[in-house]
Amino acid sequence: MGCMEGVTQYHFGTVDWILLGLYFAVIIGIGVRLATRNKGAEDYFLAGRGMLWPLIGVSLFASNISSTTLVGLAGEAYHTGISVFNYEWMASIVLVFFAVFLLPFILRARVFTLPEYLEKRFDGSLRLYFSGLTLFLNIVVDTAGSLFAGALLLKLIFPEIDIGWTISALALIAGLYTVAGGLKAVIYTDALQTILLLIGAVVISVTAFTQVGGWSGMTEGLADAQLSLIRPMGDPGVPWLGLLTGVPLLGFYFWCTNQFMAQRVLSAKNVDQGGRGVLFAALLKLPVLFLMVLPGTMAIHLFPDLPRPDLVYPTLMFELLPAGLLGLVLAGFVAALMSQIDSTLNAASTLVTMDFVRKGKPDLSDRHLMVIGRWVTVGFMVLAAVWAPMIERFSSLFQYLQMVLSYTVPPIVAAYLAGTFSKRVNALEARYGAVIGTGTGIGLFLLNVLDVFELHFLYVGPILFVVSLVGIVVGTLRAPAPSGEQQALVWTVEFYRKESQEMRGVSWWKNYRVLSVWLLVLTGALVWAFR
């Protein structure tokens, strides 16, 4: 493949192969073991709705910090600077917002999917639209991106093997335990994968930091902008206006409405466990600056002539780590890869089974739905493997991920936010916003592809969001208010006061509001230090 030309081939030792093989054996074993414990759809798709906050938080983190993120963060830091970390710290603000305003209503609705929740707030047409869009993004963006990132790494070991065959092998392995064990297998393997992932990231960061000569060696010869989170309007990476508008919008979609992330929260035992799990995931995001972003900056000095930014993290692994340790760290990298693949495959299976199959055939038993879900997982595994090689056409993996989301998700974000805070918005108005926003997005995408004009993707998202909100407002003038049952899903001051009374006497470390404040303070301090 063109982008891989000139890349050094690396060799894997016997100990490395043993460690990697042991990892694969363990995670597949977990999936097979848990397969016998799934009694129906709720067990398979939502782990029986019994998950506690530590597992929820760790699983959210593992699924987000996947191989695509590892490769993308280090590659963008190498290419444009550490401003890519803005996507990570912004997650703290987005997740606090999610815990306060959305999470209580979503969990109390007892839904299987986020599109199902959208139906409860609006109607079935919005559910089907959002479910179809989410399926498209799960396969084309999430699963395919992870497969491509893993294939880039393995290409360094096996340059003679076509990248398509490597992608197929990775998809098969990830699909095996996901098909067997469902969400419970995904969450438990995520816990194991997070441990390996963090071990690998710490080892690489410390080794690279030592090799480059410490902080002074890393910063030597670099422009201040490369080590700054707040960048000017014309910055090609994350301009400050895009940081204030586009990044929160993409973050809201990813954390609050994306099925493959929110499915972990839907599995929570109760609202308290779900809220604390969400905040724990946000806390785990903050060290990412030191473990996954700054190593990309160090690589500027260590490997200044890499042919593609996406090769930064894999190169750091193979160049800096000795035999044995390399196998452990590679297992962590593959763990991250598997975490996102298993998450998206399980989420896509849930969407098809619960939003389309069950809706069309409501009489199917839970066991039949579980079987259908497994076959759907297999089908999507194949589709993602077929599409993944196409990502090589883009300049970098991270740009591919963010660009696709910017043109597709703003109408849904507008519908969710309008439905959360306005009792007046009903299904017709949400449809107006979705149709107008989607049509405008297609138009902007075509103009960009035809080189009529060039617009940063972080500005595309806010423009489409505003257009969608205008469509909703226009619809409000023509449609009656929604039913009382739908209005019960709207956040109000009265709800806040009632919840405050329920939380009186709760210890501070169990009070999600207190934890949210401390999390925001810690996030602000980190951003200020690297402003």
Side-chain angles (χ1 to χ4, degrees):
M1 308 300 282
C3 75
M4 302 302 296
E5 293 178 359
V7 176
T8 304
Q9 179 180 0
Y10 295 96
H11 298 282
F12 223 41
T14 303
V15 177
D16 300 315
W17 282 116
I18 292 173
L19 288 171
L20 193 60
L22 181 62
Y23 161 74
F24 282 124
V26 168
I27 62 169
I28 292 175
I30 290 174
V32 173
R33 179 68 181 271
L34 291 176
T36 60
R37 301 183 184 180
N38 291 319
K39 306 304 180 184
E42 192 163 275
D43 282 340
Y44 186 75
F45 294 117
L46 293 181
R49 298 188 195 267
M51 284 293 131
L52 303 180
W53 70 266
L55 283 172
I56 293 171
V58 166
S59 186
L60 282 170
F61 174 78
S63 297
N64 171 239
I65 300 297
S66 64
S67 56
T68 55
T69 307
L70 279 170
V71 169
L73 290 177
E76 283 297 301
Y78 181 89
H79 184 56
T80 63
I82 69 167
S83 62
V84 67
F85 179 66
N86 287 316
Y87 293 93
E88 306 306 303
W89 69 258
M90 186 62 75
S92 294
I93 297 175
V94 171
L95 286 172
V96 166
F97 181 91
F98 183 43
V100 173
F101 297 109
L102 278 172
L103 182 67
F105 300 101
I106 290 174
L107 287 182
R108 288 167 184 168
R110 303 288 292 178
V111 295
F112 277 86
T113 69
L114 268 296
E116 184 182 354
Y117 175 77
L118 206 61
E119 179 180 33
K120 286 181 176 291
R121 177 59 185 86
F122 296 115
D123 69 359
S125 63
L126 266 296
R127 175 183 184 176
L128 294 178
Y129 168 76
F130 184 41
S131 187
L133 175 63
T134 304
L135 284 169
F136 169 77
L137 294 175
N138 278 172
I139 302 306
V140 171
V141 175
D142 301 316
T143 309
S146 290
L147 290 173
F148 180 75
L152 280 177
L153 174 69
L154 295 180
K155 192 73 174 177
L156 296 176
I157 309 175
F158 308 109
E160 70 280 0
I161 299 179
D162 183 80
I163 197 170
W165 287 107
T166 307
I167 287 170
S168 299
L170 291 171
L172 178 62
I173 294 170
L176 283 176
Y177 70 84
T178 306
V179 169
L183 183 63
K184 192 172 292 185
V186 170
I187 290 178
Y188 284 144
T189 53
D190 279 352
L192 170 63
Q193 290 161 350
T194 298
I195 295 172
L196 293 176
L197 170 65
L198 292 177
I199 290 174
V202 169
V203 170
I204 286 178
S205 297
V206 172
T207 305
F209 192 70
T210 303
Q211 291 277 342
V212 84
W215 187 264
S216 60
M218 183 187 72
T219 58
E220 183 180 357
L222 298 182
D224 291 341
Q226 289 177 279
L227 295 170
S228 172
L229 293 174
I230 311 302
R231 306 287 281 271
M233 277 281 289
D235 185 77
V238 186
W240 69 264
L241 184 57
L243 170 62
L244 295 177
T245 57
V247 174
L249 190 147
L250 294 176
F252 183 88
Y253 161 75
F254 184 82
W255 291 103
C256 306
T257 67
N258 188 346
Q259 178 68 21
F260 100 82
M261 296 303 295
Q263 194 155 333
R264 283 131 185 76
V265 185
L266 294 176
S267 72
K269 186 176 183 179
N270 51 45
V271 174
D272 173 66
Q273 294 295 322
R276 282 196 278 165
V278 163
L279 297 179
F280 184 43
L283 179 64
L284 292 175
K285 294 284 286 177
L286 298 183
V288 165
L289 173 63
F290 305 99
L291 299 180
M292 301 169 194
V293 177
L294 286 177
T297 305
M298 301 171 199
I300 295 173
H301 301 288
L302 297 174
F303 315 107
D305 300 316
L306 292 177
R308 182 181 174 97
D310 291 339
L311 292 172
V312 170
Y313 205 82
T315 302
L316 285 169
M317 291 171 54
F318 282 100
E319 288 283 357
L320 301 184
L321 301 179
L325 188 57
L326 174 61
L328 181 63
V329 174
L330 183 62
F333 185 92
V334 176
L337 163 74
M338 295 299 172
S339 181
Q340 184 159 15
I341 295 173
D342 62 32
S343 301
T344 53
L345 287 176
N346 185 256
S349 171
T350 306
L351 288 167
V352 170
T353 307
M354 307 311 291
D355 286 342
F356 292 94
V357 176
R358 189 179 69 165
K359 192 174 179 65
K361 295 186 176 181
D363 296 331
L364 285 177
S365 68
D366 273 6
R367 181 159 293 277
H368 277 108
L369 291 173
M370 183 174 67
V371 172
I372 291 170
R374 283 175 170 156
W375 280 109
V376 171
T377 300
V378 173
F380 281 130
M381 178 180 67
V382 173
L383 287 176
V386 171
W387 175 257
M390 300 298 104
I391 300 175
E392 198 170 17
R393 301 172 183 268
F394 292 80
S395 60
S396 77
L397 179 60
F398 192 82
Q399 290 285 338
Y400 166 79
L401 299 176
Q402 304 304 325
M403 188 175 298
V404 173
L405 293 180
S406 294
Y407 282 97
T408 54
V409 303
I412 288 298
V413 174
Y416 264 100
L417 289 176
T420 299
F421 294 107
S422 174
K423 290 186 175 183
R424 183 66 184 80
V425 176
N426 70 7
L428 179 61
E429 297 141 14
R431 285 199 297 270
Y432 269 116
V435 170
I436 294 173
T438 301
T440 305
I442 293 173
L444 286 178
F445 179 77
L446 292 175
L447 291 175
N448 197 10
V449 169
L450 297 173
D451 292 327
V452 176
F453 67 87
E454 185 174 347
L455 186 63
H456 197 291
F457 64 84
L458 286 179
Y459 297 144
V460 171
I463 290 172
L464 295 180
F465 177 74
V466 171
V467 169
S468 300
L469 282 182
V470 170
I472 291 173
V473 171
V474 170
T476 302
L477 303 176
R478 304 181 56 184
S483 67
E485 184 177 334
Q486 292 171 325
Q487 291 183 5
L489 297 176
V490 177
W491 187 91
T492 61
V493 175
E494 290 75 18
F495 172 82
Y496 179 85
R497 290 171 178 166
K498 181 180 178 181
E499 189 180 49
S500 298
Q501 292 178 349
E502 295 172 353
M503 296 176 65
R504 286 179 180 174
V506 175
S507 303
W508 70 267
W509 53 275
K510 290 184 178 180
N511 188 321
Y512 79 88
R513 294 180 185 171
V514 176
L515 296 176
S516 296
V517 171
W518 280 110
L519 179 63
L520 293 177
V521 169
L522 187 60
T523 302
L526 184 61
V527 174
W528 179 261
F530 286 87
R531 66 189 185 283

